[in-house]
Amino acid sequence: MGDASLLVAFINVQIWLPTGNLWCMSEFSVALNDDQQQIKDWTHGFAEDVMRPAAAEWDEREEFPYPVVQEAAKIGLYGWEFLMNAGQDRTGLTLPVAVEELFWGDAGLGMAIMGSGLAAAGIAGNGTPEQTMEWVPQCYGDANDVKLGAFCVSEPDAGSDVSNLRTRAVYDEANGEWVLNGTKAWITNGGIADVHVVVAAVDPELKGRGQASFVIPPNTKGLSQGQKYMKHGIRASHTAEVVLDDVRVPGSCLLGGKEKLDAKLARAREAGKSGAPQPAMKTFEATRPTVGAQALGIARAAYEYSLEYAKERHAFGKPIIMNQAIAFKLANMITEIDASRLLIWRAAWLARNGGFTNAEGSMSKWKASEVAVRVTEEAIQILGGYGYTREYPVERWHRDAKIHTIFEGTSEIQQLVIARAISGLRVE
Amino acid sequence: MSDRTASMLDSIRGKARSWLEAQWDPHQPLGEWWSNLAQSGWGFPDFPERWFGLGLPSESRRIVREELQRVGAFGPPHGIATMMVAPLLVEMGTDEQRQQWLPGIVDGSEIWCQLFSEPDAGSDLAGARTTALRDGDVWRVNGQKVWTSGGHYAKWAILVARTDQSAPKHSGLSFFGIDMRQDGIQPKSLVQMNGSAEFNEVFIDDATTLHTNLIGEEGKGWPVALRTLSYERESLDADAEPGIQTDLDLTIAAGRYASGEIPDGSEGFMPGGLEAWELLCSVIAANDKQNDPRIRDRAVKVYTGIKTSSWMSQRFAQAPEVGAEVSLGKLAATQLMRDWRDLALTALGPHGQLLEGENTFDGLPAQIALSVPGLSIAGGTDEIQRNIVGERVLGLPREPRPNGD
Ligand SMILES: Cc1cc2nc3c(=O)[nH]c(=O)nc-3n(C[C@H](O)[C@H](O)[C@H](O)COP(=O)(O)OP(=O)(O)OC[C@H]3O[C@@H](n4cnc5c(N)ncnc54)[C@H](O)[C@@H]3O)c2cc1C
Ligand SMILES: Cc1cc2nc3c(=O)[nH]c(=O)nc-3n(C[C@H](O)[C@H](O)[C@H](O)COP(=O)(O)OP(=O)(O)OC[C@H]3O[C@@H](n4cnc5c(N)ncnc54)[C@H](O)[C@@H]3O)c2cc1C
């Protein structure tokens, strides 16, 4: 399974962390280089040939699409190696480019393929190299035996505000084990994953700085799936509660190790309750351009489809696009889509080249997700009655789009993050 | 409103109240309750006395609706038949047609659907290609319709068909009533965005309808269709009752429908008027967002929309005649519903994505979100309403028609 030295490279060049200092800055360009173009074509091919034809069926079935994920694993699209290769692109653009194509194919299936990535990022971002090597491959398995990862932060009472997690992790000195209790909500792959990464409060007093991340290995007693959410959109992606009932894991499952945690807690206690970034937040901020790229893929799908439709469909003796009411909608859609892509690419580049200054990651995610909701709704309108039926894909794209304004920070939270970044003030 | 009108409306309210208080019995089977309402005239008080009404002004409907709610009674049948067909028959039908159809409409025993849109003629309804050819006492109908709401359980339909192939587009159409329960008519359900299958494709293969079912004159179907559409738009405003009547079991006690115990076809639709506001307030409060200034700001906008929409529809109800202005009411309603949806979903966060479970309000806001896009399409799209407002309300030059028709 995998090549350990590559995985170590992955740790060093994680796309999730602003690692600009490790490398000389790369040029920012909106022209894709050969490698990027190749990955774009390759993911597009998969999206068109495998995902598009399967999309309606898995939306209807509302269950995890193992066969599709297996196909993705066969060609190397589902797997840590893919993320690692993407991570080696110093411009940061490879991942958003690939993700846009996947979500152009289908958002539900796309989430099913991407879902394990959050767990992998949580491990790589917080774990030691040894932990990363041990657990990241287990989030994926291989084409013959697909495995899943789940990243568990949100709770029923802590969605937007993750500094107040109720899930507790208590150290049992006698056995050298951590004991976790609590309920996680809205978890992608929750309960069906092989590896769950759980963020829990070790010292609740310290809020975000008193939290730590734990790996829960496969088949650990006490971890179970709560309710499965029956959603509007991205229905091929499994979302459920995860219940932790006296879950015991060995000390080695604490990501980053005990020494590092103890030092962090000591620092935090000294500094008092500080609002410095917490582990979960760090993962979120750097993955936002990728989430934006997901929304972008959906929006582009809807735009392309409705453009073709508007040229073909005749009413009052002419193609409907010959009405400005329709043509201007489409002009607006593509302009907003392109604006979103530029924000996403800039953010992805910044994530690898010097880091964010004005919450550019949040800007890109906010813009792209809102654009996706509006564009897909306009697409329904352009298709008229056909747009409102399940016989055509645009209604599904609209259902799929909305979630992107909610998860990984709602639109309101993105605005809050941006407002804080530009003002330097803790706007509440 | 003048003092005289006000006192007249008060007196209508008083009479409606005493009749309802005396007559409403939740144990009465729905069919009997509806007949009772129809016979008394209180079901459709604005219809002429001769035709199941009391000859009162159209505002009396709103008053009766409020009184129905007050006593907790189930309202009269509500659907294409009552919103569109009945007023059309009263205005343009023959006495024979009124006698044939109105009784089944007002007592809810016969559901109607609307065979207008075709796969290639939606906005451009006058481009309809379904044909009707005269054959002695009957017309033979062939073609295909689509998006026919309730087509799978309707007993009757209103139909727009081409009766003269050689005449210019708008003058070759005629308007009929037609029996849906015949071999030549086959509805096939289509699944909508909200997951329900309320509308249909309808395949028409040598179906027949009597010549006496022609509404208006042969070749003069277009103005009849336009009139019908303006009734439809009038009933799609923000005060409108949600949903349309489905094939309810008339033997079940009316009270069980009134209490919501048994579905009545309004499920998943945004409630009308202030009920929509109350639901929104509950959603906001349940999510502890009532003190969030941005939410409050948007809520006030929605409330303003509900009130102005409601005043607008009251103004239409007072107008001596419905005109193209009703398109304004429909546009205001679709915008309002979008604002309502956007705010409710913001307040609900992820719960707004769920159709069941805790803090989902039985999935109603989610259902509404899935229905809202359809409202900007059904009954004439938003773009077509704007064209109508431009041309017929503002008097702007007409859109160029390529075929000069
Ligand atoms: C401060 C200022 C400085 C200027 N300086 C110069 C200058 O130095 N040299 C110069 O040559 N001109 C100059 N202009 C003129 C300017 O270029 C014109 O005003 C502009 O091109 C619009 O033309 P118009 O005023 O005739 O408006 P119109 O063309 O009459 O347009 C009126 C409205 O109709 C809309 N409209 C027009 N056609 C369409 C269509 N096909 N579809 C949809 N909507 C349409 C327009 O968008 C506009 O809203 C200046 C204007 C201003 C305000
Ligand atoms: C929920 C629902 C229920 C319905 N129920 C019924 C029913 O019971 N019976 C029935 O007969 N029909 C019904 N319809 C059909 C409805 O009336 C049509 O869908 C509608 O008139 C639009 O026609 P279309 O779908 O063919 O779209 P098209 O006419 O093809 O329009 C496509 C797009 O082009 C735009 N467009 C077209 N012409 C112009 C123009 N001149 N200027 C600007 N924009 C233009 C439209 O606004 C739309 O955005 C229903 C539709 C829905 C969604």
Side-chain angles (χ1 to χ4, degrees):
Chain A
M1 180 186 294
D3 173 340
S5 65
L6 281 181
L7 200 44
V8 173
F10 172 47
I11 305 156
N12 290 332
V13 296
Q14 291 148 40
I15 38 185
W16 325 107
L17 300 175
T19 49
N21 315 350
L22 292 180
W23 307 83
C24 56
M25 297 259 274
S26 85
E27 293 288 322
F28 180 78
S29 164
V30 291
L32 297 182
N33 65 32
D34 287 349
D35 290 346
Q36 291 162 340
Q37 188 61 46
Q38 219 173 356
I39 290 210
K40 180 177 152 82
D41 295 344
W42 175 64
T43 42
H44 186 83
F46 183 80
E48 187 161 25
D49 302 339
V50 181
M51 297 172 84
R52 278 273 170 108
E57 181 194 336
W58 290 101
D59 173 57
E60 195 68 39
R61 286 171 64 164
E62 204 166 1
E63 46 186 74
F64 192 86
Y66 282 103
V68 177
V69 175
Q70 198 166 15
E71 288 301 309
K74 271 187 203 154
I75 65 160
L77 191 52
Y78 181 77
W80 59 269
E81 296 93 334
F82 170 69
L83 282 185
M84 188 204 62
N85 286 334
Q88 280 175 335
D89 173 6
R90 285 152 50 190
T91 72
L93 298 196
T94 295
L95 195 61
V97 164
V99 166
E100 178 183 336
E101 297 310 316
L102 289 182
F103 278 68
W104 174 92
D106 182 66
L109 299 172
M111 264 315 276
I113 294 171
M114 294 296 295
S116 299
L118 266 180
I123 294 168
N126 299 296
T128 62
E130 293 71 29
Q131 286 172 323
T132 304
M133 275 196 306
E134 180 176 4
W135 294 112
V136 168
Q138 292 197 49
C139 293
Y140 289 99
D142 56 47
N144 296 320
D145 186 15
V146 162
K147 304 279 186 207
L148 307 178
F151 186 55
C152 314
V153 186
S154 304
E155 298 183 356
D157 294 315
S160 292
D161 181 8
V162 291
S163 63
N164 282 313
L165 296 181
R166 295 243 175 100
T167 298
R168 284 293 308 272
V170 177
Y171 191 56
D172 174 359
E173 298 269 1
N175 299 303
E177 287 177 337
W178 286 92
V179 186
L180 285 90
N181 278 291
T183 300
K184 295 291 180 180
W186 311 106
I187 306 303
T188 301
N189 296 343
I192 62 168
D194 298 277
V195 175
H196 289 78
V197 177
V198 174
V199 181
V202 176
D203 184 344
E205 292 276 290
L206 297 175
K207 304 235 161 164
R209 304 205 75 190
Q211 296 171 357
S213 303
F214 300 84
V215 168
I216 315 294
N219 305 317
T220 301
K221 236 181 82 204
L223 183 150
S224 61
Q225 181 183 313
Q227 68 157 318
K228 175 181 172 181
Y229 299 101
M230 307 310 264
K231 310 188 294 295
H232 264 180
I234 57 166
R235 284 149 54 106
S237 165
H238 171 98
T239 317
E241 280 179 349
V242 172
V243 180
L244 302 149
D245 181 15
D246 273 334
V247 171
R248 288 184 162 266
V249 293
S252 58
C253 286
L254 166 64
L255 288 171
K258 187 126 191 330
E259 226 168 88
K260 201 170 147 202
L261 175 66
D262 287 341
K264 181 179 103 170
L265 295 178
R267 270 200 313 277
R269 284 186 192 112
E270 226 161 85
K273 288 170 200 168
S274 126
Q278 42 239 332
M281 272 310 189
K282 207 159 64 179
T283 310
F284 280 148
E285 184 55 31
T287 49
R288 277 179 184 150
T290 313
V291 181
Q294 298 175 356
L296 176 64
I298 304 172
R300 198 186 97 213
Y303 159 75
E304 287 176 1
Y305 200 96
S306 50
L307 173 63
E308 285 315 305
Y309 188 88
K311 291 195 285 189
E312 302 280 317
R313 174 79 173 171
H314 281 64
F316 304 100
K318 60 186 179 191
I320 57 171
I321 198 173
M322 295 308 285
N323 299 293
Q324 287 188 353
I326 300 298
F328 285 18
K329 270 194 215 307
L330 287 156
N332 189 271
M333 286 154 84
I334 186 61
T335 306
E336 292 286 82
I337 286 172
D338 281 0
S340 303
R341 188 181 297 105
L342 288 172
L343 282 174
I344 289 165
W345 286 10
R346 178 183 70 165
W349 183 85
L350 283 175
R352 291 296 312 279
N353 293 275
F356 305 120
T357 49
N358 278 340
E360 290 85 353
S362 296
M363 285 186 203
S364 71
K365 190 260 179 184
W366 174 39
K367 175 75 179 173
S369 59
E370 292 292 343
V371 163
V373 173
R374 297 302 155 217
V375 162
T376 51
E377 187 166 16
E378 291 285 45
I380 293 177
Q381 186 68 17
I382 291 172
L383 265 74
Y386 294 104
Y388 191 61
T389 65
R390 296 220 167 157
E391 318 243 313
Y392 283 73
V394 289
E395 62 82 28
R396 185 175 69 244
W397 290 327
H398 184 52
R399 285 188 285 117
D400 288 345
K402 183 67 191 176
I403 275 175
H404 292 81
T405 66
I406 296 168
F407 62 17
E408 302 220 19
T410 64
S411 287
E412 290 69 32
I413 296 303
Q414 309 302 336
Q415 291 170 79
L416 197 61
V417 173
I418 299 164
R420 286 177 183 173
I422 57 176
S423 66
L425 299 171
R426 206 174 158 77
V427 181
E428 295 290 347
Chain B
M1 198 190 299
S2 72
D3 287 352
R4 235 182 97 228
T5 333
S7 79
M8 181 188 69
L9 295 181
D10 279 347
S11 120
I12 293 175
R13 189 182 294 282
K15 287 187 190 142
R17 184 172 297 184
S18 37
W19 187 86
L20 284 169
E21 279 171 354
Q23 296 294 320
W24 166 244
D25 167 12
H27 304 294
Q28 202 175 22
L30 180 62
E32 276 177 35
W33 167 241
W34 274 352
S35 299
N36 196 359
L37 266 175
Q39 295 306 328
S40 71
W42 285 113
F44 302 92
D46 53 333
F47 286 7
E49 283 179 87
R50 219 182 129 208
W51 300 112
F52 305 98
L54 299 169
L56 296 173
S58 12
E59 287 160 280
S60 56
R61 280 216 195 190
R62 181 175 51 83
I63 292 172
V64 172
R65 195 157 69 204
E66 286 164 9
E67 291 304 313
L68 282 159
Q69 269 172 7
R70 214 182 58 85
V71 299
F74 195 61
H78 161 66
I80 286 170
T82 59
M83 296 188 300
M84 299 158 75
V85 186
L88 182 73
L89 291 173
V90 168
E91 189 181 326
M92 295 186 170
T94 62
D95 271 357
E96 194 191 351
Q97 288 168 345
R98 294 174 186 138
Q99 260 145 16
Q100 179 187 359
W101 288 320
L102 283 174
I105 292 177
V106 291
D107 74 5
S109 59
E110 292 184 344
I111 295 179
W112 285 65
C113 67
Q114 182 190 9
L115 294 173
F116 284 19
S117 304
E118 297 186 2
D120 286 317
S123 302
D124 190 7
L125 177 59
R129 289 198 209 140
T130 295
T131 58
L133 293 177
R134 182 80 185 263
D135 180 5
D137 286 345
V138 301
W139 290 85
R140 293 198 175 277
V141 187
N142 282 284
Q144 191 199 327
K145 296 289 178 177
V146 73
W147 326 125
T148 315
S149 304
H152 49 311
Y153 46 66
K155 160 71 179 147
W156 292 98
I158 40 177
L159 165 77
V160 173
R162 190 159 297 285
T163 47
D164 184 349
Q165 303 279 358
S166 56
K169 177 163 145 175
H170 291 86
S171 359
L173 298 169
S174 301
F175 196 102
F176 300 90
I178 187 169
D179 192 335
M180 286 293 286
R181 310 249 173 94
Q182 55 174 310
D183 289 344
I185 298 191
Q186 294 299 335
K188 180 175 160 277
S189 287
L190 287 169
V191 182
Q192 297 161 209
M193 179 173 177
N194 60 12
S196 69
E198 277 301 309
F199 60 24
N200 300 264
E201 294 176 287
V202 177
F203 299 93
I204 310 174
D205 181 16
D206 230 12
T208 58
T209 194
L210 290 173
H211 180 63
T212 48
N213 291 341
L214 178 69
I215 302 173
E217 286 170 45
E218 182 183 334
K220 299 265 170 65
W222 182 243
V224 185
L226 285 186
R227 195 74 184 128
T228 319
L229 288 171
S230 74
Y231 286 125
E232 179 174 26
R233 281 157 201 164
E234 193 187 5
S235 48
L236 290 174
D237 66 34
D239 259 358
E241 274 173 64
I244 57 167
Q245 176 200 338
T246 53
D247 51 345
L248 304 184
D249 183 340
L250 300 180
T251 64
I252 291 179
R256 297 177 66 192
Y257 290 108
S259 66
E261 178 194 337
I262 301 185
D264 66 358
S266 65
E267 296 73 27
F269 286 89
M270 188 161 130
L274 283 180
E275 272 184 76
W277 169 247
E278 282 154 20
L279 176 60
L280 184 62
C281 291
S282 322
V283 167
I284 292 171
N287 289 281
D288 214 11
K289 296 243 160 53
Q290 63 274 44
N291 294 322
D292 180 331
R294 292 177 55 252
I295 298 276
R296 291 162 73 102
D297 189 48
R298 287 164 67 185
V300 169
K301 186 174 168 220
V302 171
Y303 182 78
T304 313
I306 290 175
K307 288 309 266 186
T308 43
S309 254
S310 163
W311 288 325
M312 188 145 57
S313 68
Q314 285 174 34
R315 203 183 61 189
F316 296 148
Q318 283 167 19
E321 206 166 292
V322 279
E325 295 84 2
V326 294
S327 292
L328 292 168
K330 198 202 165 208
L331 278 171
T334 54
Q335 186 54 50
L336 171 62
M337 288 176 190
R338 286 202 155 81
D339 292 343
W340 189 101
R341 168 199 66 185
D342 290 346
L343 182 50
L345 293 192
T346 301
L348 281 163
H351 295 275
Q353 296 299 295
L354 304 183
L355 296 166
E356 56 184 52
E358 248 178 83
N359 189 24
T360 62
F361 289 80
D362 295 328
L364 184 55
Q367 275 294 336
I368 291 172
L370 294 184
S371 305
V372 163
L375 301 172
S376 287
I377 298 165
T381 65
D382 283 359
E383 290 73 25
I384 295 302
Q385 307 302 338
R386 291 196 184 95
N387 278 342
I388 293 172
V389 171
E391 293 176 11
R392 310 230 303 272
V393 180
L394 302 176
L396 298 175
R398 284 172 64 92
E399 287 247 304
R401 302 277 193 272
N403 46 9
D405 186 18

